[in-house]
Amino acid sequence: MAHICAFAEKMAAARRYRTMTEKLDFEYHKKGWFLESALTYCEAVEGLAEALQTTPLASRGLQGLREYLLAYVQSPAFRLLADEARRVKVGLAAVKYSLIIQTGRFSVRRYEQETDYSLEVEKTFARFKQGAAKDYRVNLYTGTGMNHIEAKILEFVVRLYPEPFAALDRFCERHADFMDATLLTFDREVQFYVAYLDYIAPLQEESGLPFCFPEMGEGRQVEARDAFDLALAENLRYEGAAVVLNDFELRGAERILVITGPNQGGKTTFARMFGQLHYLAALGLPVPARQARLALFDHLLTHFERQEDIRTLRGKLQDDVTRLYDLLQQASPRSIFLFNEIFSSTTLKDALFLSRKIMTRLLELDVLGVWVTFLDELAAFNEKTVSMVSTVVPENPAERTFKIVRRPADGLAYALSLAEKHRLTRTHILERIRP
Amino acid sequence: MNVFLLYPDRNFDPQTPLPPNAEDLTQDLALETLWQAMAQGDKFLFETARLVTLSGSQEMEVIRYRQEILQDCLKNPATVRALYQIPIEAIENKQRCWLGIFSHYPAGILSSAVEMLEMLVGLLHRLRQIADEHAAEFESPGFRRFFAMIQQELDDTCFAEMEAHLRQLRFREGVLLSAELGPGNEGTNYVLRKPNTPDGLMKHLLSRKSPTYSFTLHPRDDHGARALGELRDRGVNLVANAAAQSADHIDGFLTLLRRELAFYIGALNLHEQLAALGHPIAIPQLHPVEERRHTYRGLYDVCLALTMRKRVVANDGDADGKDLMLITGANQGGKSTFLRSIGLAQVMMQAGLFVPAEEFAANLCRGLFTHYRREEDASMKSGKLDEELKRMSDIVNHLRPNALVLFNESFAATNEREGAEIARQVVDALLERHIKVVFVTHQYELARGYHERRAPNVLFLRAERQPDGSRTYRVRPGDPLPTSHGEDVYRKVFGKEG
């Protein structure tokens, strides 16, 4: 993996230099970058060849690549390219010249061991420096590029030192097309695998989490075992914590998972996970679960609570209802939806009224989905809804297990235990704020 | 030399850390809208408005000092803007010298440093001229002190001295550099060299026998001259440094002046826009933090007014002697807007600004805090209620008696009974610690609890709703009701079919 990444980086640089030469105006500037491109390319190819030689490979694809690469690196054409490029570079690097700049005029000569004048200048003006004065020394731009003055200087340098440039000319003529087409294709295609594997590799290796290729179907029967939220797992990995694995299943007439239970119990994560599994599966990637059967879908519709926005000039409730209306317009029986705590900005009575209306519409549409809510009444809506509850450690209600299990809603939100945890009961606050 | 236009005894330090609640305040009170109105597209005005409003003062003396200066500004806007032009021109000229074509090149810095000193002296002359002509029209102690100082202390002989130095420091001879070829045959490793002739003179070096190729630029080849300058710069970097530091002295003073005046320019901008929209402003009456005062007539949400660009609903009210204002009522009924107007007025008052009202009097507070509902926690670790409680706990860490806390639909991310219980415990404790609270809630449970207690220090307000379901967006004294009229909204969006 690391070798492929190093290869890809160098190849990118080599290609960049190569493309750059096409846009450059001055002959030896162009040729200089052409040489850099060739040098970088040689490094990339040799580096990968050497690495693959000592790496045990299982896949036929990469074994084939190794064989090809080793033959290529030893070919006389490639050897000639690499050796000559390095020889020419050494010759150019040895050139040292002097530049005399006057107003509107400059001269170029061979360097003749003149002494460093900056040190003397610095000494002369040191007395004007103040203690904490701002430093006005400019961090001079040293990026690439050449203007016509620099080109003119280079022209003079070529006249002063003709030999190394003649060698460069010969090199450019001989190796006009040095990049191998097969290696270029490999470089491009391997990126997709590299990116996804890069992301999930530490989760598999460090955190020991399961991934699988899901079974996909048109049916409305879905299930997953030991599934998890990829993004949360990644975050927890940095903290060295383990993500909790959860299962879900919708069978027969069941369509909607209604999640209730204590806050901070993993309900939102569960909804996100359900959506993620389907989304990743649709991309053809292995999903974060031990085993899964998932549904194909046309739209994945989500409504997670948003912040109030002054610019819409509408109340939050109307925003919510309008967004839901828009979502329902897009939905078909092949859609999947995720709702998270909608209608929490209104009274209990209104929230229930609105939720029942929306639920009825969803069930008529026969969509699949997850609805996170604190309204226990929704959990037992009818035979198409399945109640799942986030659970707590029985002996300590403030501690969550992050397990979401199939079970009737029990109406305990444990909110006060949370307040206790944050030291926000009346007694706590009085202790915390000094009179 | 000191500016002292924001504090009677010190300069404003833009590095002062903002209070811990700054981010919440910005978001919850939509303060960016206010700053944008003050800035009128100017980043510096925006930043100054942001810093000064967020770090409002808690001292009556400081706020009065600013109020008096502000009144001078409102009376003499042209003079104040002319004054502000001085540092602006310095900045602009400086940007032309520093950040223009030559800004990245020491030779440019070197030659423009002299130019800049000349320019600065010119501006300082103008500053004194304004002081001489207009000082008498200003009444505030702040401006009187400022103008007196300009007239006494401003002396340009020191600049003349510096100029003499700079003339000597100019690097008149051509430069000699050595160089090598880097990637792409581009020149690299430039080192300034001393000609190794006995007298160190370039002409003697050039007359020596060694293959030399010379090139003279076409007189109109500006691009080439610039390119040549870039190379030359590699030798004069340190010289330029010394020259530029000499100019910093005056520049530092003008930067201070710009920073402090910028706040009042922002106020003038804001005033002009509000006046154009027909909105009133008032210089608020200040009351000490220990008192409980809140009397307002025609109080409006300045950010909403600026967003809608027309007249918005204003409220009248009297909450003198009240520790808790509890606001209930219809969804979209103007509760949040009213709460924001209270918060904005407090922020503006403590910054020394006018407030968006016809009349306004209130006690100062020892810190303004907002606790609003937020969207899902981005770090994914907390549930919503947990996140709210965590923020509340952070607020409690910074609370002191006589602070002001604004709650908007807090603790509603759980069922109503439990949410109300948490809210009640928090509010009770805050009141007991003499913290003033304004609480907007649709939770009938919470409001009902306080209503049944009939405490004299609680004021109940309600967003008005007409019998036909329409809203006036006014917030009036009124007892809490058990519904927020969600059905109205549903029917409006889904139509009769729902």
Side-chain angles (χ1 to χ4, degrees):
Chain A
M1 250 321 251
H3 304 315
I4 290 178
C5 287
F7 171 73
E9 267 171 40
K10 288 212 173 106
M11 284 298 282
R15 277 198 311 271
R16 199 168 58 239
Y17 297 156
R18 188 81 176 75
T19 322
M20 200 163 83
T21 60
E22 287 157 22
K23 293 179 203 142
L24 298 178
D25 299 324
F26 306 110
E27 187 191 357
Y28 284 106
H29 191 212
K30 228 183 239 235
K31 287 181 173 170
W33 279 114
F34 182 85
L35 177 64
E36 286 308 308
S37 175
L39 285 166
T40 313
Y41 171 78
C42 292
E43 259 177 59
V45 171
E46 286 171 345
L48 185 64
E50 196 187 318
L52 288 187
Q53 220 165 358
T54 55
T55 312
L57 294 175
S59 98
R60 272 177 297 158
L62 286 179
Q63 281 172 354
L65 174 79
R66 173 165 64 190
E67 211 170 296
Y68 179 85
L69 195 60
L70 292 181
Y72 175 68
V73 171
Q74 282 155 16
S75 69
F78 182 80
R79 291 299 358 136
L80 184 70
L81 174 76
D83 295 346
E84 193 176 346
R86 280 172 195 137
R87 225 173 22 246
V88 173
K89 178 70 181 172
V90 168
L92 289 169
V95 170
K96 195 163 183 178
Y97 59 96
S98 284
L99 179 61
I100 297 159
I101 302 172
Q102 290 164 321
T103 310
R105 180 185 162 82
F106 65 87
S107 309
V108 181
R109 299 155 58 92
R110 290 210 178 93
Y111 170 63
E112 291 172 331
Q113 313 302 321
E114 288 93 350
T115 55
D116 187 334
Y117 191 44
S118 293
L119 298 175
E120 290 182 31
V121 172
E122 202 173 335
K123 234 180 278 169
T124 308
F125 295 110
R127 63 200 155 110
F128 291 100
K129 278 187 189 164
Q130 288 169 17
K134 182 181 161 186
D135 188 352
Y136 280 95
R137 276 173 304 170
V138 173
N139 189 6
L140 290 167
Y141 174 70
T142 49
T144 58
M146 188 176 279
N147 52 49
H148 66 288
I149 297 299
E150 287 166 308
K152 199 75 195 166
I153 293 170
L154 182 57
E155 195 185 308
F156 292 154
V157 174
V158 174
R159 280 201 239 166
L160 287 169
Y161 301 94
E163 299 81 13
F165 289 96
L168 179 59
D169 285 337
R170 286 193 296 275
F171 175 82
C172 292
E173 247 167 69
R174 221 175 277 171
H175 303 283
D177 217 357
F178 60 81
M179 290 203 193
D180 184 75
T182 310
L183 289 177
L184 283 176
T185 311
F186 166 73
D187 178 39
R188 203 167 42 242
E189 290 185 358
V190 78
Q191 296 307 321
F192 180 75
Y193 298 101
V194 169
Y196 192 70
L197 290 177
D198 238 2
Y199 189 77
I200 68 169
L203 294 173
Q204 287 174 300
E205 286 154 22
E206 285 173 36
S207 316
L209 292 167
F211 283 83
C212 71
F213 284 100
E215 210 181 294
M216 299 294 287
E218 280 295 342
R220 304 277 87 184
Q221 316 288 305
V222 301
E223 70 166 299
R225 267 192 326 108
D226 290 348
F228 59 94
D229 175 351
L230 199 53
L232 177 63
E234 174 69 4
N235 276 6
L236 290 178
R237 186 173 69 82
Y238 284 113
E239 294 159 25
V243 67
V244 172
L245 305 176
N246 273 300
D247 303 342
F248 62 78
E249 183 173 15
L250 285 170
R251 57 186 172 235
E254 293 166 359
R255 292 293 178 267
I256 294 174
L257 297 169
V258 179
I259 320 289
T260 57
N263 276 293
Q264 217 208 336
K267 291 181 295 184
T268 302
T269 303
F270 187 89
R272 199 166 46 219
M273 171 191 85
F274 187 89
Q276 250 180 31
L277 253 62
H278 281 90
Y279 191 79
L280 292 171
L283 289 177
L285 295 171
V287 299
R290 192 170 308 283
Q291 179 258 314
R293 186 171 73 231
L294 302 170
L296 292 165
F297 59 91
D298 57 357
H299 295 294
L300 185 58
L301 305 167
T302 62
H303 186 299
F304 281 52
E305 186 176 50
R306 271 188 210 167
Q307 219 149 356
E308 223 161 334
D309 183 351
I310 183 180
R311 281 161 304 176
T312 66
L313 303 172
R314 290 188 306 209
K316 182 158 168 41
L317 182 63
Q318 178 156 356
D319 274 352
D320 279 349
V321 177
T322 308
R323 274 174 70 198
L324 283 169
Y325 180 78
D326 293 344
L327 287 183
L328 287 174
Q329 294 299 306
Q330 296 173 45
S332 84
R334 291 185 74 233
S335 302
I336 291 177
F337 76 89
L338 309 173
F339 287 170
N340 190 30
E341 305 270 21
I342 50 175
F343 304 136
S344 54
S345 68
T346 186
T347 65
L348 195 59
K349 179 167 162 269
D350 284 0
L352 253 180
F353 165 82
L354 292 164
S355 298
R356 286 197 168 114
K357 290 277 189 194
I358 301 290
M359 182 64 97
T360 309
R361 282 166 177 267
L362 290 176
L363 294 177
E364 278 167 18
L365 267 170
D366 205 34
V367 295
L368 285 181
V370 176
W371 189 328
V372 175
T373 179
F374 55 84
L375 299 171
D376 290 346
E377 288 84 346
L378 287 186
F381 197 78
N382 68 18
E383 75 290 347
K384 286 182 157 192
T385 59
V386 174
S387 172
M388 294 187 80
V389 181
S390 60
T391 54
V392 295
V393 177
E395 36 308 340
N396 176 11
E399 194 180 321
R400 274 64 169 146
T401 64
F402 302 107
K403 274 280 182 195
I404 312 280
V405 299
R406 231 176 140 104
R407 183 203 288 172
D410 53 12
L412 286 174
Y414 300 97
L416 280 172
S417 65
L418 267 183
E420 188 98 21
K421 175 184 134 191
H422 286 284
R423 299 176 57 233
L424 285 174
T425 61
R426 182 172 162 279
T427 327
H428 277 130
I429 295 179
L430 288 176
E431 277 168 18
R432 290 172 69 185
I433 305 173
R434 267 162 301 159
Chain B
M1 295 203 292
N2 295 306
V3 175
F4 288 176
L5 286 175
L6 285 171
Y7 296 94
D9 53 358
R10 61 189 164 103
N11 289 322
F12 179 72
D13 177 9
Q15 303 303 323
T16 310
L18 292 174
N21 54 327
E23 216 174 292
D24 287 338
L25 278 185
T26 306
Q27 195 176 341
D28 296 337
L29 300 181
L31 284 173
E32 298 216 348
T33 309
L34 178 74
W35 301 329
Q36 276 158 11
M38 293 176 75
Q40 289 302 292
D42 183 302
K43 273 190 196 148
F44 185 81
L45 289 179
F46 184 92
E47 189 54 18
T48 305
R50 189 177 82 87
L51 294 176
V52 178
T53 49
L54 284 178
S55 53
S57 176
Q58 296 169 13
E59 295 161 47
M60 298 245 279
E61 198 190 319
V62 172
I63 297 172
R64 279 218 186 93
Y65 183 76
R66 293 186 194 176
Q67 284 183 344
E68 283 165 343
I69 292 175
L70 176 64
Q71 278 165 307
D72 264 344
C73 292
L74 291 171
K75 266 192 312 187
N76 304 293
T79 309
V80 175
R81 285 186 189 275
L83 210 49
Y84 186 63
Q85 273 312 302
I86 291 172
I88 288 298
E89 267 179 47
I91 298 292
E92 279 171 2
N93 290 335
K94 191 172 100 166
Q95 276 171 346
R96 216 166 40 229
C97 301
W98 281 172
L99 301 173
I101 289 167
F102 289 109
S103 66
H104 302 298
Y105 308 107
I109 292 177
L110 177 63
S111 67
S112 62
V114 177
E115 205 181 308
M116 181 171 159
L117 275 171
E118 284 163 4
M119 178 270 291
L120 286 172
V121 170
L123 289 174
L124 290 177
H125 275 302
R126 221 164 81 198
L127 180 56
R128 186 157 60 200
Q129 197 184 342
I130 291 177
D132 292 344
E133 284 172 17
H134 297 283
E137 294 150 24
F138 287 74
E139 292 166 17
S140 62
F143 267 121
R144 296 193 77 86
R145 192 211 67 87
F146 176 78
F147 284 132
M149 175 201 70
I150 294 296
Q151 286 166 322
Q152 286 162 21
E153 283 192 38
L154 207 63
D155 182 355
D156 24 56
T157 53
C158 60
F159 312 134
E161 269 171 41
M162 263 198 280
E163 230 175 322
H165 276 303
L166 282 166
R167 243 176 269 122
Q168 287 166 23
L169 287 170
R170 232 198 257 271
F171 199 64
R172 291 201 180 275
E173 241 204 335
V175 296
L176 170 67
L177 307 171
S178 73
E180 295 168 46
L181 296 173
N185 290 329
E186 293 174 15
T188 185
N189 295 339
Y190 291 98
V191 178
L192 185 70
R193 300 282 172 180
K194 185 178 178 184
N196 54 3
T197 51
D199 52 7
L201 284 181
M202 201 74 77
K203 57 181 177 183
H204 293 138
L205 178 73
L206 282 168
S207 64
R208 243 182 14 200
K209 227 176 162 191
S210 168
T212 302
Y213 297 101
S214 298
F215 183 76
T216 302
L217 272 64
H218 189 279
R220 281 202 300 274
D221 183 3
D222 294 341
H223 186 65
R226 195 151 62 234
L228 200 54
E230 284 172 24
L231 292 173
R232 186 181 184 271
D233 282 335
R234 303 188 184 255
V236 298
N237 210 353
L238 292 172
V239 184
N241 187 37
Q245 285 179 346
S246 315
D248 263 358
H249 178 70
I250 309 167
D251 187 45
F253 169 74
L254 289 181
T255 304
L256 272 179
L257 179 62
R258 179 190 184 207
R259 173 71 72 179
E260 303 209 350
L261 274 179
F263 173 68
Y264 297 101
I265 296 295
L268 286 177
N269 286 344
L270 178 63
H271 173 243
E272 275 167 21
Q273 284 173 81
L274 292 176
L277 296 168
H279 292 296
I281 57 158
I283 301 288
Q285 270 181 49
L286 312 176
H287 292 275
V289 291
E290 297 79 18
E291 289 183 20
R292 284 297 169 267
R293 302 289 291 258
H294 236 122
T295 320
Y296 47 90
R297 218 157 53 69
L299 174 67
Y300 57 95
D301 175 351
V302 66
C303 292
L304 185 67
L306 292 164
T307 306
M308 308 246 313
R309 313 239 27 108
K310 61 175 189 189
R311 288 216 65 140
V312 292
V313 170
N315 285 295
D316 300 343
D318 175 359
D320 284 358
K322 305 294 184 188
D323 291 302
L324 169 63
M325 293 160 81
L326 196 57
I327 302 144
T328 59
N331 268 299
Q332 297 177 250
K335 299 193 297 277
S336 293
T337 303
F338 174 73
L339 186 68
R340 199 160 48 223
S341 71
I342 291 276
L344 282 165
Q346 194 79 26
V347 166
M348 291 168 76
M349 172 172 77
Q350 301 206 192
L353 281 172
F354 47 76
V355 296
E358 281 162 36
E359 279 174 35
F360 190 86
N363 58 284
L364 300 182
C365 63
R366 291 230 184 278
L368 170 63
F369 297 84
T370 52
H371 189 271
Y372 278 45
R373 299 202 60 182
R374 285 288 153 75
E375 63 193 320
E376 212 67 32
D377 173 20
S379 76
M380 297 179 286
K381 276 191 310 190
S382 312
K384 223 180 303 181
L385 181 65
D386 190 53
E387 184 271 341
E388 280 189 45
L389 290 170
K390 191 178 163 312
R391 272 192 292 124
M392 187 64 224
S393 184
D394 290 344
I395 291 175
V396 169
N397 283 337
H398 298 107
L399 278 178
R400 285 179 300 163
N402 298 317
L404 170 60
V405 187
L406 310 180
F407 291 95
N408 194 6
E409 305 286 13
S410 299
F411 315 122
T414 179
N415 71 53
E416 189 161 339
R417 189 178 53 77
E418 293 203 349
E421 179 58 21
I422 293 177
R424 192 188 58 76
Q425 296 215 16
V426 169
V427 172
D428 277 353
L430 297 188
L431 295 183
E432 203 163 323
R433 284 289 174 261
H434 303 288
I435 290 160
K436 192 163 164 176
V437 175
V438 185
F439 204 123
V440 162
T441 181
H442 65 261
Q443 287 195 335
Y444 176 66
E445 276 298 310
L446 172 66
R448 193 183 51 124
Y450 281 100
H451 193 241
E452 282 168 2
R453 282 198 229 165
R454 301 263 168 216
N457 63 340
V458 182
L459 177 67
F460 292 94
L461 298 171
R462 206 173 70 216
E464 224 174 30
R465 179 176 189 264
Q466 310 284 51
D468 63 0
S470 69
R471 280 85 160 139
T472 66
Y473 301 104
R474 256 180 242 289
V475 173
R476 291 262 165 85
D479 295 338
L481 297 173
T483 172
S484 293
H485 310 286
E487 277 191 54
D488 296 349
V489 175
Y490 182 80
R491 287 191 208 296
K492 195 167 142 196
V493 174
F494 277 79
K496 286 277 175 260
E497 42 158 341

